[in-house]
Each structure stands twice: as C-alpha cells, then as structure tokens.
Amino acid sequence: MFVVLYRKWFYLVSAVLVAVSVASMGMWGLQYGIDFAGGSLIELEYATARPTVEVVQKQIATTNIGAFSARESGDKGFILRTKHLTQEQHDAVISVLSKDATGKATGVDEKRFDSVGPLLGQEAARKAIVSITLVILAIVLFITYAFRQVSEPVSSWKYGLIAIIALVHDIIIPAGAFAILGHFHGFEVDTLFITALLVILGFSIHDTIVVFDRVRENLKNRSSGEQFEHIVGKSISQTFVRSINTSMTVLISLVIMYFVGSEATKHFVVALLVGITAGTYSSIFLGSPLLVTFQKLQEKKGKK
C-alpha cells in the first residue's frame, strides 16, 4: 500500500532518471556500432604484453586506411574501429600489428572481424526502429483487448496507455545509460543492444500485466465501498515478492554472465541489467500507481 500512498515520490525518481537519460543523449548522443553506422571492427588479443594505444595508432597509421579508433579491451586486447575495409586493407592492418618496432613477432591473435557497408547499416537501423515500434504497438493492442471488460473506474484503453508510458520509461533509461557509458567508456549501440531492448520490453510488460491482472481480479471480488486506491495497493502487495524474486534471479544470472562470459556479450549484459532493473521498477512503482492517478483525474473531471 505504501507504493500507492507515496506514488508521487516514485514518479519523481522516474522523472529524474528519464531527464538525466534524455539530457545525456542530447549532450553526447549514442555511439553507433558498425551494425548501424557501417564500417569495420577488428578485435585483437596479444599473446604477451599489450603495447600502448599510442604504439598501435602509429602502426596502423602507416597503412593509410583513413580515420580509425583503437580502444583497449580486456587485459591484453584491442578493439579497432575503422571505415569499411577491403580484404587487402584488413590484411595490411593485421600485418603491421603482428610485429613490433624491432620486427619481432607480437603473437597477435584476431578474435573477431566484422565489416558492414553504410547501406546495410542504414537498413539495420531502420529495421530496429520498426521492430521496437511494432512490439510496443502489439503489446498495447493486446492489453487493451485483454482488459476490454474492465471499464470502471479506469477504462481498458488507459491500461494500454499506462503500459506505453512504462515501456518508454524502460527504453529511455538504458539508452541514456549507454549514452553516458559511450561517452566515458566507448560503449556502442549495435544489434545486440536492440535485442536487449526487445527482451527488456517483454520482461517489463510481463511484470506489468501480472499486477494489472491482479487488479482486475480484485475489482471483480471487491467488497462494497472498497476504494480503487486500496485495491491497487493490495494488488501490488500481493505480487510484490513474486516480481522482486523473479527479477533478482534474472539479475543474478546476468551478473555471473558478465564476469564469466565473453567480451563480445558484456555490453549486451549491461543493457539487460539496466533495462530489467528499470522495468521491474516501472512495473511496481510507476505503472500500477498511475492507475490510481488516472482514476483520481477522471474523478475530478467528473465532478466538474
């Protein structure tokens, strides 16, 4: 019940997080990976000591491949990002990095090489936007249909509207987190990030529907004179432990995956950690209390 009573404070927390996320995206933007921006990505690992970034930059500059960036990865690796490379240019980069200044072999191992043309990158970005839009639309239509018999005191379509608000909240926060991490640590937005967003949407709406469904059941079985505010608070209390336990088991698994998984999946795991945490918060502290806020607004409008 405390969630409903102090809902304005929880709204404030969400508002601050969303504002920080939007401000971060506005100031720094998102660092698009080659999946969307096009280009080539090479992940390397040295068998012995890793050279400094400056040394690697000087070596690659001799190949005349144009603009590029080099970022340290793990204990002995580098991630190189360049414009779209031909096979000859790629071979030239590997060749210069395979030897140090004295001509001694460095034991460099190429772990990954991805190359995407600019047209394919634009197509991937367009499909990503379409997929997220379709998922949100399908979810809203389903909720509106599932709650079609609920009309009092909050109309069924408002359940769908609240779901949109919660889902937008759950997308903006991980996007803002990646804007911050991209600016300070070079995190990039790629197709794995979009996959993470789709997983987050599904996970978040699952939790939201569980609470909404309990509200619907309690409305059917409510006692005479029981207020809607109390019904929503009771519904949240009845599902609170379940939602927290479900989320915690997933988050624990993700934390373990972050530390023991491969370097290629770490950013994907970070996106899931941030998004699922935000989704759990929105399902409990944002979506359901908004039902009460909408009911209060509707009540005031009716009195006028």
Side-chain angles (χ1 to χ4, degrees):
M1 188 64 182
F2 79 96
V3 175
V4 174
L5 290 175
Y6 299 103
R7 58 187 180 276
K8 291 182 180 179
W9 289 104
F10 296 121
Y11 295 164
L12 179 62
V13 171
S14 290
V16 170
L17 291 174
V18 170
V20 170
S21 298
V22 172
S24 301
M25 288 187 283
M27 287 189 296
W28 301 314
L30 295 169
Q31 303 292 325
Y32 294 106
I34 63 169
D35 296 350
F36 299 140
S40 296
L41 183 145
I42 304 173
E43 184 177 354
L44 304 169
E45 186 172 298
Y46 287 82
T48 56
R50 175 178 58 192
T52 64
V53 175
E54 290 75 16
V55 170
V56 170
Q57 289 174 336
K58 288 179 180 178
Q59 288 178 309
I60 298 176
T62 62
T63 63
N64 297 316
I65 61 171
F68 67 90
S69 65
R71 177 169 58 87
E72 293 179 345
S73 172
D75 295 327
K76 296 182 179 180
F78 275 103
I79 292 179
L80 311 177
R81 186 180 176 192
T82 72
K83 66 178 183 62
H84 182 65
L85 297 179
T86 63
Q87 188 61 46
E88 291 76 14
Q89 290 173 319
H90 165 261
D91 294 341
V93 171
I94 299 300
S95 177
V96 297
L97 294 177
S98 63
K99 296 180 181 180
D100 60 19
T102 64
K104 183 180 177 181
T106 57
V108 69
D109 179 29
E110 183 179 22
K111 309 292 289 186
R112 179 164 57 121
F113 174 58
D114 297 323
S115 191
V116 177
L119 292 179
L120 288 176
Q122 292 174 10
E123 183 180 355
R126 184 168 59 252
K127 288 183 177 180
I129 295 172
V130 170
S131 63
I132 291 175
T133 303
L134 289 177
V135 167
I136 292 177
L137 179 61
I139 288 172
V140 171
L141 290 176
F142 169 75
I143 291 178
T144 302
Y145 175 79
F147 291 85
R148 65 191 183 280
Q149 295 179 346
V150 180
S151 58
E152 293 293 339
V154 177
S155 303
S156 60
W157 66 269
K158 291 182 180 178
Y159 284 81
L161 177 60
I162 290 171
I164 291 178
I165 295 172
L167 291 177
V168 171
H169 169 278
D170 300 339
I171 289 177
I172 289 177
I173 290 178
F178 261 62
I180 296 171
L181 292 171
H183 179 72
F184 291 104
H185 299 288
F187 277 43
E188 295 179 344
V189 172
D190 53 15
T191 51
L192 272 181
F193 178 77
I194 301 302
T195 303
L197 288 185
L198 294 175
V199 172
I200 291 164
L201 290 177
F203 194 93
S204 174
I205 203 63
H206 172 267
D207 269 357
T208 302
I209 288 179
V210 166
V211 184
F212 281 3
D213 191 59
R214 186 56 61 92
V215 171
R216 178 175 59 180
E217 293 302 315
N218 286 334
L219 279 173
K220 291 180 180 178
N221 303 314
R222 63 178 169 179
S223 57
S224 178
E226 187 176 14
Q227 294 184 347
F228 183 66
E229 182 176 354
H230 182 266
I231 292 173
V232 173
K234 181 170 66 175
S235 301
I236 295 173
S237 299
Q238 291 170 345
T239 57
F240 186 86
V241 174
R242 175 196 176 282
S243 296
I244 294 297
N245 287 342
T246 302
S247 297
M248 284 303 300
T249 54
V250 175
L251 292 175
I252 290 171
S253 300
L254 289 173
V255 169
I256 294 173
M257 188 185 300
Y258 178 84
F259 288 106
V260 303
S262 68
E263 191 71 26
T265 61
K266 286 189 182 295
H267 294 182
F268 171 71
V269 172
V270 170
L272 287 177
L273 283 169
V274 175
I276 289 177
T277 301
T280 303
Y281 180 89
S282 70
S283 299
I284 299 172
F285 300 101
L286 180 63
S288 302
L290 277 174
L291 287 172
V292 177
T293 299
F294 275 49
Q295 184 264 335
K296 297 285 187 184
L297 292 174
Q298 187 172 301
E299 194 176 72
K300 289 181 179 179
K301 186 176 179 181
K303 288 180 179 180
K304 290 181 179 179

